[in-house]
Amino acid sequence: MKRAIGLLAVLLVLAGVPLGLAVVVTVIATPALAEQHRVTSCAGTIPATGDWRVPYVDTTYEHRSGFGPRIDPETGLPGEHTGLDLGSVPSGAPIVAAAAGLVVDAGPNGGYGTTVDVQHASGVLTRYAHLDSIDPAVTVGDQVAIGQVLGVEGTTGRSTGLHLHLEVRLDGKPVDPVAFLADRGVMLSGTPVGPSIPDDQAPDLPGGGEGGIGFALPQAGEPRQASLTNPAQPVPARVQDLYEAAAAEYNLPWTLLAGIGMAETAHGSTTATSTAGAQGLMQFMPATFATYGVDGDGDGAAQITNDADSVHSAANYLRALGAADGPDGVREALFGYNRADWYVNDVLHYAHAYGGGLVLAEPADCPGGTGDPDLPPISDERVATMLEFALDQQGDAYVLGATGPDAWDCSSLTQQAMARVGITSPRTAQAQRDWLAAGNGYQVPVDQAQPGDLFFFDSYLGPNTIGHVGFVLDPASQSTFEAANPSLGVGAFSYADDLTRNIFQIWRLGDVADDPATP
């Protein structure tokens, strides 16, 4: 059971009792008020994860009228608004189901106009009102999937313009859709959200870390060279086992590694040292291998001519070069592997010949950078709100790909805590760090950490890729609050033992917001 903790600003001291927290009120040495700046967004859309989503796909939208008391726009008298009015930009976008459920009503509904009602589990009903039309595939008694088109935004019924009236009812009583969806990992920030992936197409999640989202390998383009005359060869079973093992460890499609193996040595058929000095199955230059080489077979040494080490090192190198940074990141990583456009297209051609696949990573491209140290740091009040939300999840489970309200992985917890102060960040740890570096924050030395800073380190994705994120809670004791792993769950821990990792960084949020407000 979760324990709510109210605070102005916090340092956490472990009380020595399971789930017990002692809170010491203190002062965070940041300005109480500072001008907010607009969030620097990454290219692309937010991935749809979890069991709930926004009711638009790949569409920018804005809030028109919130839940609760308001002046009725038609009568000019005080009234109660039982839902949330959203408007797509441009208007007239398709409306999709916010979660899977049963259609219990579809058609005219008085002042609501053309409406679709969807019944969900636990007494929850969602209503999509003022629609221009209902999709022909939607009829009463149908089961609809999350993200399935229900109709088109309109202005039917008592409506003063094109918009969606989104209503959420719990056991028949209207509740605030913003709060309801936020508790389920959905931030109604206006940022476009991608399509939901059907259950039968969802990627298999890795054994640890983050997951549940991904993007398809990009197609080969032009020019091509070797692949025009040398078709993809069968992969020897022993080598395919190496590709699959490395791909599972680094969250890459094995076919991408097979594409490189085919382009370089036809899967080990020709492993002589190249005229440039490259060696091994995946053809590494010794200087590159010295930096990115890893022990792939667990024998205690990373050897450039060892096939397992070579394949695992190629996966590690691709991750370090940005292969997880959206489709463009895959192409840029391959170009970094061998700096020729034809090589990039040859590898992708071979990869698709072996079946293509999904990269389990953030589909949005956050190019990174050095951050913006000129930003005012996030205010005390907003830090307190973020940490209060995080602390309220004490004792929850760690579940890979979960987005709340009772289970999280590391980056969904930090993402939702930031959402509580009006900040929409990417979904994964690596992308959150790159998003900060793109202009939403700045890196600080470890000895200058403050409560509410974000810490990042390498973990399950290898030594050159960030795989974990959490909040600094008490720098003096190096304590954290985080969704740690499946064994430990969500709680207070320490970053003391992580300081010696290959990557350990602390970043401070700037005073940014999706919709900045100047005090």
Side-chain angles (χ1 to χ4, degrees):
M1 182 176 180
K2 290 189 286 191
R3 176 180 178 181
I5 303 173
L7 56 145
L8 297 175
V10 298
L11 293 176
L12 180 70
V13 179
L14 292 176
V17 179
L19 302 186
L21 298 177
V23 177
V24 178
V25 178
T26 188
V27 175
I28 302 173
T30 60
L33 290 175
E35 181 183 359
Q36 291 181 9
H37 294 246
R38 185 169 296 280
V39 163
T40 300
S41 298
C42 301
T45 60
I46 297 174
T49 61
D51 296 328
W52 289 83
R53 61 161 298 125
V54 302
Y56 298 100
V57 175
D58 291 333
T59 299
T60 301
Y61 58 95
E62 59 188 17
H63 289 223
R64 299 285 171 81
S65 183
F67 175 84
R70 69 166 183 177
I71 299 300
D72 188 293
E74 286 194 351
T75 67
L77 299 174
E80 193 75 17
H81 193 216
T82 56
L84 170 70
D85 289 347
L86 300 171
S88 61
V89 182
S91 58
I95 302 301
V96 303
L102 177 71
V103 178
V104 294
D105 193 15
N109 188 359
Y112 286 110
T114 302
T115 301
V116 174
D117 286 353
V118 179
Q119 184 71 53
H120 312 280
S122 303
V124 177
L125 180 140
T126 53
R127 173 167 293 168
Y128 310 83
H130 304 314
L131 300 179
D132 178 75
S133 59
I134 296 174
D135 190 274
V138 175
T139 58
V140 174
D142 286 347
Q143 288 285 341
V144 291
I146 181 174
Q148 180 175 331
V149 174
L150 302 178
V152 177
E153 184 181 82
T155 185
T156 57
R158 290 188 68 243
S159 170
T160 57
L162 283 168
H163 70 282
L164 167 69
H165 173 90
L166 175 65
E167 196 163 301
V168 178
R169 290 178 173 263
L170 182 59
D171 295 329
K173 180 181 178 181
V175 297
D176 186 354
V178 172
F180 176 89
L181 290 173
D183 286 341
R184 288 151 182 81
V186 180
M187 284 67 73
L188 293 170
S189 65
T191 305
V193 174
S196 297
I197 300 175
D199 290 340
D200 60 356
Q201 298 178 28
D204 292 331
L205 299 180
E210 301 169 283
I213 59 175
F215 57 89
L217 279 178
Q219 295 290 328
E222 299 294 339
R224 286 164 47 204
Q225 187 168 296
S227 64
L228 293 173
T229 56
N230 190 14
Q233 301 298 309
V235 182
R238 180 187 67 85
V239 177
Q240 181 160 340
D241 287 344
L242 296 179
Y243 291 152
E244 291 181 356
E249 183 172 342
Y250 288 88
N251 272 15
L252 293 170
W254 74 267
T255 58
L256 182 60
L257 298 174
I260 292 176
M262 177 62 208
E264 295 289 354
T265 65
H267 312 302
S269 297
T270 56
T271 57
T273 301
S274 74
T275 55
Q279 302 177 41
L281 190 153
M282 305 299 270
Q283 290 289 280
F284 272 97
M285 296 296 290
T288 305
F289 192 85
T291 301
Y292 297 100
V294 296
D295 178 11
D297 58 5
D299 65 358
Q303 299 176 309
I304 195 169
T305 56
N306 178 293
D307 286 351
D309 295 352
S310 186
V311 173
H312 278 73
S313 298
N316 180 42
Y317 190 36
L318 288 174
R319 274 280 178 174
L321 291 173
D325 297 337
D328 289 344
V330 173
R331 301 188 68 89
E332 291 168 4
L334 291 174
F335 187 83
Y337 201 102
N338 189 335
R339 303 184 70 81
D341 289 331
W342 56 262
Y343 177 84
V344 173
N345 293 314
D346 277 347
V347 169
L348 290 174
H349 174 82
Y350 289 136
H352 281 284
Y354 294 122
L358 288 174
V359 180
L360 290 175
E362 185 86 26
D365 181 12
C366 298
T370 57
D372 184 0
D374 293 329
L375 276 175
I378 190 167
S379 68
D380 295 358
E381 292 86 353
R382 300 176 79 202
V383 168
T385 299
M386 287 194 305
L387 292 181
E388 183 177 6
F389 170 80
L391 288 166
D392 194 28
Q393 315 314 313
Q394 168 78 8
D396 280 357
Y398 178 109
V399 176
L400 187 62
T403 58
D406 299 312
W408 314 84
D409 60 29
C410 66
S411 58
S412 67
L413 181 63
T414 54
Q415 183 192 46
Q416 283 211 44
M418 288 186 277
R420 290 310 193 276
V421 294
I423 299 173
T424 299
S425 76
R427 174 64 176 82
T428 61
Q430 177 74 55
Q432 287 180 10
R433 195 291 306 269
D434 291 346
W435 169 84
L436 286 163
N440 296 297
Y442 49 92
Q443 190 173 357
V444 297
V446 173
D447 61 2
Q448 295 179 24
Q450 295 179 359
D453 288 344
L454 293 159
F455 70 88
F456 299 89
F457 58 70
D458 60 282
S459 62
Y460 74 109
L461 294 173
N464 295 291
T465 303
I466 288 169
H468 189 74
V469 59
F471 284 114
V472 173
L473 206 53
D474 180 3
S477 61
Q478 298 179 332
S479 67
T480 68
F481 201 88
E482 58 188 295
N485 57 48
S487 298
L488 297 174
V490 178
F493 305 102
S494 172
Y495 59 80
D497 292 338
D498 299 309
L499 295 173
T500 58
R501 289 179 179 270
N502 192 51
I503 300 173
F504 185 87
Q505 299 175 359
I506 292 181
W507 286 74
R508 185 161 300 148
L509 271 167
D511 214 20
V512 295
D514 297 334
D515 185 15
T518 302

